[in-house]
Amino acid sequence: MSEFQALALLVAVWLGAVLALPVPVVPAAVLVLGFFALRRPWWFVATSFVLASALAFRAEARHHLAAAGPFSDEIVLVTDPEMDSFRVRAEARLPDGDRVMVSIALPAGFGVEHATAGSTLAVRGLVRPVEQTDWIRSRHLVGRMDVAEATFVVGPPWWQQPSEFIRRAVAGSARSFDPDDAALYTGLVIGDDRQQSLAQTVRFRSAGMSHL
């Protein structure tokens, strides 16, 4: 695939997601897999547009506001928890597949702040709908959950274990660093900036390097 075709692929996927045409997902995926048989880059570009459009349409069709009410069940983290103003915050998937922003008040959050994406927690709290901004919709979030009790159940599934092994190895190799250097190291190597200080964050933003 040439550089021009790679750029065309990027534009096709973006355009497909924006248009969100009502195309069945399974046939679209089969068409994309046809690339491996035909080995034609432009086929891949065209069918990727169709698949992106189908996935975007399905996501939009399934999106809704969460119903307000109590919640007591298991959730699966889809992002790493982050400590923020005496709360542990993360995004999580509910048993019905909906995604919510989770806020776990301390001290309940002390038992789960070192959990990682893919971990299962047993929680009790209150779910409420969330204002639908563009960012919220892009994250497929339908509500917020304020958690009063949280218990770690199990870590990520087996297919996520290799990446978790690498993450733990990188984090372990930074134990001899001072806190700021360790946070910088893990942030640059594996994208885990949860331990980054406010001063570091401000310096990166001031230098126009927050994307790192």
Side-chain angles (χ1 to χ4, degrees):
M1 179 176 285
S2 67
E3 291 184 4
F4 178 73
Q5 289 168 331
L7 179 60
L9 175 63
L10 176 65
V11 173
V13 171
W14 172 81
L15 187 60
V18 170
L19 294 178
L21 302 176
V23 181
V25 173
V26 174
V30 172
L31 288 175
V32 172
L33 292 177
F35 164 74
F36 296 97
L38 300 175
R39 299 290 181 177
R40 295 186 177 181
W42 287 114
W43 173 275
F44 188 53
V45 171
T47 54
S48 294
F49 164 82
V50 175
L51 180 59
S53 201
L55 291 172
F57 178 80
R58 185 175 68 172
E60 287 291 334
R62 291 182 175 181
H63 196 79
H64 62 278
L65 290 178
F71 179 90
S72 181
D73 205 335
E74 293 184 351
I75 61 175
V76 178
L77 299 178
V78 296
T79 62
D80 293 332
E82 297 184 9
M83 187 69 73
D84 178 28
S85 302
F86 304 104
R87 288 181 173 270
V88 175
R89 301 184 186 276
E91 294 177 16
R93 184 173 63 252
L94 305 183
D96 61 4
D98 286 343
R99 289 177 60 160
V100 296
M101 292 184 291
V102 176
S103 177
I104 309 174
L106 299 182
F110 282 134
V112 300
E113 77 273 22
H114 296 302
T116 58
S119 299
T120 299
L121 309 179
V123 301
R124 182 180 64 81
L126 183 66
V127 175
R128 53 192 172 90
V130 63
E131 181 183 355
Q132 292 297 291
T133 64
D134 289 341
W135 184 85
I136 291 292
R137 292 183 70 86
S138 73
R139 302 292 299 171
H140 307 291
L141 299 168
V142 301
R144 299 178 185 269
M145 180 188 298
D146 294 315
V147 176
E149 296 179 7
T151 304
F152 181 84
V153 176
V154 67
W158 64 268
W159 49 269
Q160 284 185 296
Q161 290 300 324
S163 61
E164 286 304 311
F165 174 80
I166 295 174
R167 181 209 293 262
R168 287 193 296 269
V170 170
S173 67
R175 288 174 183 166
S176 61
F177 298 177
D178 65 60
D180 281 348
D181 288 344
L184 180 62
Y185 175 72
T186 56
L188 291 175
V189 176
I190 57 176
D192 187 353
D193 59 359
R194 290 179 293 172
Q195 305 305 318
Q196 192 176 76
S197 66
L198 179 60
Q200 278 186 323
T201 302
V202 171
R203 286 197 293 268
F204 269 92
R205 288 178 179 173
S206 298
M209 301 172 63
S210 59
H211 60 285
L212 297 178

